[in-house]
Amino acid sequence: MTTAVPSRTHFRTCNLCEAMCGLRIETDGQRVLSIRGDDADPFSQGHICPKAVALQDLHEDPDRLRQPVRRTATGWEPLSWEEALAETAQRLHAVQKAHGKNAVAIYSGNPTVHNHGAMLLLPFFLKALRTRNKFSATSVDQLPHHLASYLMLGHQLLIPVPDVDRTHFMLILGANPVASNGSLMTAPGFRARLKALQQRGGKAVVVDPRKTETARLADEHLFIRPGTDALWLLAVVHVLVHEVGARLGRLAAFTDGLAHVHELSREFTPEHVAPHTGVAAETTRRIARAFAEAPSAVCYGRVGVSTQAFGGLCQWLINVINVVSGNFDREGGAMFTRPAFDLVGGPPAMRMSRGSIGRWKSRVRGLPEFSGELPVSVLGEEILTPGEGQIRALVTSAGNPVVSTPNGRQLDEAFASLDFMVSVDPYINETTRHAHIILPPVTQLERGHFDLIFNTFAVRNTVKYSPPLFPPPPGARHDWEIFLELKHHLDRLHGAPRVRGELSYQALKALGPERLLDLGLRAGPYGFKPRPFRPGLSLARLKAQPHGVDLGALRPCLPQRLATRERRLQLAPELLVGDLQRLRATLLPAEAPARSDGELLLIGRRHVRDNNSWMHNVAKLVSGKPRCTLMVHPEDARRLGLREGGEARITSRVGEVSAPVTVTDEVMPGVVSLPHGYGHGRPGVQLRVAGAHAGVSINDLSDDRAIDEISGNAAFSGLHVRIEPVECTGRDEQPTIG
Ligand SMILES: Nc1nc2c(c(=O)[nH]1)N[C@H]1C(S)=C(S)[C@@H](COP(=O)(O)OP(=O)(O)OC[C@H]3O[C@@H](n4cnc5c(=O)[nH]c(N)nc54)[C@H](O)[C@@H]3O)O[C@H]1N2
Ligand SMILES: Nc1nc2c(c(=O)[nH]1)N[C@H]1C(S)=C(S)[C@@H](COP(=O)(O)OP(=O)(O)OC[C@H]3O[C@@H](n4cnc5c(=O)[nH]c(N)nc54)[C@H](O)[C@@H]3O)O[C@H]1N2
Ligand code: SF4
Ligand SMILES: [Mo]
């Protein structure tokens, strides 16, 4: 008997989450034989998580579309790429011609930022669409970080990254990197980095309404009432500024607004906020003082403090804490990358926009754009509310808003009412089932990969290029090719100047993402300057380093890298300071709000084997005990008559779902937790494995009206819900399953 001899070994970066783990993949012809961690990757050093092996399953998934499809009365029918692209462009154009440019909307989802081809070419398609109704997963995620960076530092992508490998004190709010593998902190193997921190005598403190996997490994965990972090952070600022004394060090020379911070934080003593946050005043004071006394310290907050009603304030105050304690732009504190493709400081043609705010507003609710996008929380109402400027057609790309954004049932209704919808997506899922046409791109393994975005947020400067593993099947299209073809069709239909349109199309097609990448690398900080690449970094030189290249630890770079006027750091931007009034009115009302008995605060969670909504079709990732359960504290369970394994009905202003109960003191009393990304039981979804592990969608409960008013970001954390046991006495009382 002969055994198959691996014909090739490939090295590449996993692009499923932000951690950028190096992979070592063995293939035999068109088959993947194994996927392991790449020990020689200088950044991830062999670390991977269970999702990496799913790259093979996704590639081989029989439910994945391999050809465009069109929805008909009798089901989906395949059609050729030429026909699909032409018809899509025709129908988008027809809607725009009849109802104006803004009648077509676009939503792009999370996998876009893991796809450099899509990142580099999508803007050209957006330009051809010329709509103000642009939406993305940003406004259910990190928008408050962009807002804080834009207002304080002058560029939405100049986001401080915790220097986890050198810090002595890490204060983590609303993040669970042991499960999520980190976010806006690309740090493969976070668990080992945390252990190393502790081994060098450092400490980690986690502030979270749930005792998470990260909290368990930390030195201390504090429960906090969901949605009240801004108050707690203000109390920490109060201690640092009023009790310890601010220490700006080098930053004093170019920082404005310290006196203002001193003034505004005066009232927020630890004692004042304690009844609201649930954190004892002496604990807050002790932690703030330990933070100030540590040789270096960093405060870091992610999804849990970003997706809340005061997400903008939270991200601002986190920056303020790092600045006033002398830990900003300093070893072991909050630092900035210098990536090889520099979206912040590179040459103008390669840079991303600094950001913008309020250049236009959403039609129905009047929410401001940020950096050209509107908050996705208004997408449903913009489609469903008749009148001038109503959205009548939609493009979704690499997104699943029905499951991933607020009030999914409203979006189901809205999408079903559209004149035309097209989805660029490999699956027929909760969102794309509403599309008239689906355009499926090639798989992760059929394209090259470069982390344009996550190198910008990594805990070390690092760079790597991954060539495609397999050639795409004949005729298959990359995401970027789909965008480029649609742009070309639309330009022609809109009657754009013919010669110019043709030239730009041909030029972009010839360049493709790889040549654009090469230009960006050559023009970047390691390009023409001869260090550490001699005579300068290019794509070809990068390809010769299949495991990637370490470009060193993060280095102080302010004020040079600031993008504000006169390169000054703004510690107290007006928009953020002004929002304190809303904070006081909401969280510090004169009278305590009346709460009814069955009412609890809902939060989400992530499991290491989930990836938002779209990887539940991989059998090995969904095996084992069902994970879409409602975590309830034992005291609440007793009070509400809920038992382990029983069903609970969860009701919010917008909807109702029911889920099995897990009774656990992991969550604080008064708080319940349901993971996001489930709810695959909707009719028409063609995901066989996910369908058998359907669960319910937390976003059938989340409220499109609950937003952070200054950023427009969705406020998921701390949603008021009613919980009651489901009595299975008869058919009529069967729970509503998402
Ligand atoms: N309640 C609650 N809701 C949340 C969150 C939460 O914590 N709580 N988290 C939020 C966060 S942080 C995020 S980022 C969003 C994610 O929100 P979305 O980005 O809208 O949703 P995903 O679940 O990531 O869906 C990704 C889609 O892209 C498709 N896809 C995968 N790879 C590719 C590709 O290479 N090309 C193309 N064209 N398509 C591809 C998948 O089939 C799927 O349809 O969800 C948010 N929603
Ligand atoms: N395995 C896995 N990894 C992922 C993803 C995934 O779906 N699965 N998604 C990827 C994406 S798109 C992102 S953006 C990142 C997100 O990465 P993280 O931000 O680390 O994501 P979560 O695990 O959702 O952590 C949010 C934490 O906030 C807590 N929390 C909720 N409400 C509050 C509150 O009001 N205050 C405080 N202090 N805490 C609160 C929750 O209990 C939870 O522990 O993960 C990425 N990695
Ligand atoms: S942690 Fe993220 S990048 Fe690393 S293997 Fe898992 S999914 Fe891939
Ligand atoms: Mo995200």
Side-chain angles (χ1 to χ4, degrees), residues 309-369:
F310 297 97
L313 287 186
C314 286
Q315 296 307 337
W316 165 49
L317 293 165
I318 286 170
N319 289 345
V320 169
I321 287 170
N322 290 325
V323 172
V324 299
S325 62
N327 285 298
F328 204 67
D329 193 36
R330 169 197 173 209
E331 248 182 55
M335 302 195 77
F336 301 92
T337 53
R338 191 79 172 149
F341 195 122
D342 190 355
L343 298 168
V344 173
M350 301 291 166
R351 265 184 231 163
M352 222 146 108
S353 129
R354 292 174 50 225
S356 59
I357 187 160
R359 288 177 302 164
W360 62 84
K361 297 209 158 123
S362 71
R363 178 182 62 109
V364 179
R365 216 187 305 178
L367 292 182
E369 63 83 42

Side-chain angles (χ1 to χ4, degrees), residues 13-23 44 47-53 55 114 179-182 187-189 608 610-611 615:
T13 300
C14 175
N15 62 348
L16 294 171
C17 88
E18 300 182 31
M20 301 201 305
C21 297
L23 306 179
S44 63
H47 173 80
I48 51 165
C49 86
K51 288 187 293 300
V53 290
L55 284 168
H114 297 276
S180 72
N181 286 295
V608 70
D610 295 324
N611 194 21
M615 286 178 59

Side-chain angles (χ1 to χ4, degrees), residues 490-691:
L490 278 178
D491 279 346
R492 280 198 296 209
L493 291 165
H494 291 337
R498 206 152 184 136
V499 177
R500 204 164 45 169
E502 198 59 34
L503 280 177
S504 93
Y505 166 72
Q506 294 297 350
L508 288 169
K509 198 170 157 164
L511 284 170
E514 261 54 4
R515 290 228 174 87
L516 290 172
L517 184 56
D518 186 41
L519 290 173
L521 293 174
R522 286 170 191 268
Y526 312 89
F528 294 120
K529 293 199 196 88
R531 239 174 14 110
F533 291 91
R534 252 168 260 263
L537 179 57
S538 65
L539 185 57
R541 289 208 174 80
L542 196 52
K543 282 182 175 168
Q545 308 275 353
H547 306 286
V549 180
D550 180 41
L551 299 170
L554 305 186
R555 284 186 294 273
C557 62
L558 302 189
Q560 293 78 13
R561 212 159 157 74
L562 289 175
T564 44
R565 215 170 292 147
E566 295 170 20
R567 296 195 196 280
R568 296 193 62 85
L569 192 160
Q570 298 303 331
L571 206 53
E574 221 173 288
L575 183 69
L576 295 165
V577 175
D579 203 33
L580 290 174
Q581 197 41 43
R582 185 174 64 100
L583 179 77
R584 282 191 204 93
T586 315
L587 293 182
L588 305 171
E591 288 170 47
R595 281 184 49 203
S596 59
D597 200 33
E599 196 166 82
L600 289 105
L601 300 178
L602 179 66
I603 61 168
R605 66 176 185 271
R606 284 174 159 78
H607 186 277
V608 70
R609 287 193 291 153
D610 295 324
N611 194 21
N612 296 326
S613 75
W614 70 279
M615 286 178 59
H616 294 143
N617 213 39
V618 177
K620 49 175 102 78
L621 296 183
V622 287
S623 60
K625 279 200 296 187
R627 297 200 293 270
C628 188
T629 65
L630 185 75
M631 288 183 172
V632 185
H633 189 273
E635 282 171 23
D636 293 316
R638 215 171 301 126
R639 186 166 53 86
L640 298 169
L642 299 167
R643 54 179 180 77
E644 176 75 26
E647 287 277 312
R649 181 179 297 119
I650 315 152
T651 315
S652 72
R653 184 187 75 84
V654 307
E656 175 185 307
V657 299
S658 82
V661 170
T662 303
V663 179
T664 170
D665 59 6
E666 236 177 76
V667 285
M668 71 189 282
V671 172
V672 288
S673 164
L674 193 66
H676 81 284
Y678 285 88
H680 309 298
R682 284 163 150 88
V685 172
Q686 296 192 14
L687 299 166
R688 275 166 284 188
V689 179

